[in-house]
Amino acid sequence: MKPYSKYFEKIRIRPDPQAEAKSRAPRCQWDGCDEPGLHRAPVGRHAEGQYFRFCVDHARQYNKGYNYFSGLSDTEVARYQKEALTGHRPTWKMGGDSEARAAADFSSYRSGRAAYHNRVGDPFNLFGDKQAERKPREKRLKPLEAKALETLGLGAQATSEEIKSRYKNLVKQHHPDANGGDRGSEERLRSVLEAYRLLKQAGFC
């Protein structure tokens, strides 16, 4: 290979972006520091959008003692927080305009009358009038959930209290300590425990 081969001319070294940023960054504004000021720190209240440029160590030191509300009383801080809810924009009370009038009521019925509610559509039963007429919606059970309820001898409409009560009764009935040490019902006890565990994980109880 030649000492000045054309392959050497194709070698490129990727520049370090951090070193390039440090070289272009302004100096740290902390007194007596010559490090690059890569980190911004807010100047303070009434100087929003203005920042000091510090190195990382001096930025940390500055942030530890920074307090946006320094010099304000508790009342002024509470006022600032209240005004911040509306973006520090002015607000007005509702109905402050004495010339403003309420919209006309075109209904010929009073709101408390039954005829009014009969005329007003309520497809989503927001007023609860059709609650008594509505049938409880049946739960769509997965096969394992249906089998677990069948193991406990319950139907799809069983409540959480019914499941817990039935589970306790079956455990007392089939536990070896309760039936005189008879080990013949251990398989039944195991299936009851497994069914209850599945129903509990599914959120039925």
Side-chain angles (χ1 to χ4, degrees):
M1 182 180 292
K2 297 178 181 180
Y4 298 101
S5 173
K6 62 180 180 179
Y7 296 107
F8 287 114
E9 297 178 359
K10 294 181 180 180
I11 297 176
R12 296 290 183 267
I13 299 175
R14 182 177 298 173
D16 185 5
Q18 293 183 354
E20 186 177 354
K22 288 181 180 179
S23 64
R24 295 182 180 180
R27 293 292 113 194
C28 176
Q29 290 182 269
W30 198 274
D31 292 340
C33 182
D34 294 330
E35 294 292 324
L38 298 175
H39 302 277
R40 299 193 308 175
V43 173
R45 193 162 34 91
H46 304 306
E48 284 78 2
Q50 300 179 25
Y51 300 92
F52 292 120
R53 301 300 295 264
F54 293 133
C55 62
V56 62
D57 295 330
H58 289 139
R60 288 173 181 165
Q61 188 173 349
Y62 178 83
N63 288 335
K64 285 181 181 179
Y66 178 77
N67 182 8
Y68 183 81
F69 297 107
S70 62
L72 293 181
S73 63
D74 294 341
T75 306
E76 292 173 325
V77 172
R79 179 183 176 186
Y80 181 91
Q81 292 173 338
K82 183 178 180 181
E83 292 177 352
L85 296 175
T86 58
H88 301 283
R89 290 186 289 269
T91 58
W92 295 267
K93 292 184 178 180
M94 295 292 291
D97 187 2
S98 59
E99 299 180 358
R101 296 182 180 178
D105 185 8
F106 297 101
S107 175
S108 59
Y109 296 97
R110 293 181 61 190
S111 60
R113 293 182 55 179
Y116 174 82
H117 289 290
N118 291 336
R119 288 171 58 90
V120 175
D122 187 15
F124 300 105
N125 192 29
L126 297 176
F127 300 104
D129 296 336
K130 302 176 183 178
Q131 192 67 27
E133 303 175 6
R134 182 180 297 175
K135 296 181 180 179
R137 189 169 20 171
E138 295 185 1
K139 300 177 183 176
R140 297 192 64 178
L141 302 176
K142 296 179 181 178
L144 290 177
E145 297 170 354
K147 185 176 181 181
L149 287 171
E150 184 181 353
T151 302
L152 298 180
L154 298 172
Q157 300 300 325
T159 63
S160 174
E161 296 301 325
E162 291 174 350
I163 294 174
K164 291 178 181 178
S165 177
R166 183 63 175 166
Y167 166 72
K168 290 179 181 178
N169 292 336
L170 289 174
V171 169
K172 289 180 182 179
Q173 179 181 350
H174 296 287
H175 198 277
D177 295 340
N179 55 20
D182 183 14
R183 305 179 67 89
S185 60
E186 282 187 357
E187 188 65 29
R188 172 65 174 157
L189 177 63
R190 193 177 293 109
S191 62
V192 168
L193 294 174
E194 183 67 22
Y196 182 76
R197 185 185 63 81
L198 189 145
L199 293 173
K200 191 171 184 180
Q201 290 179 348
F204 283 82
C205 54

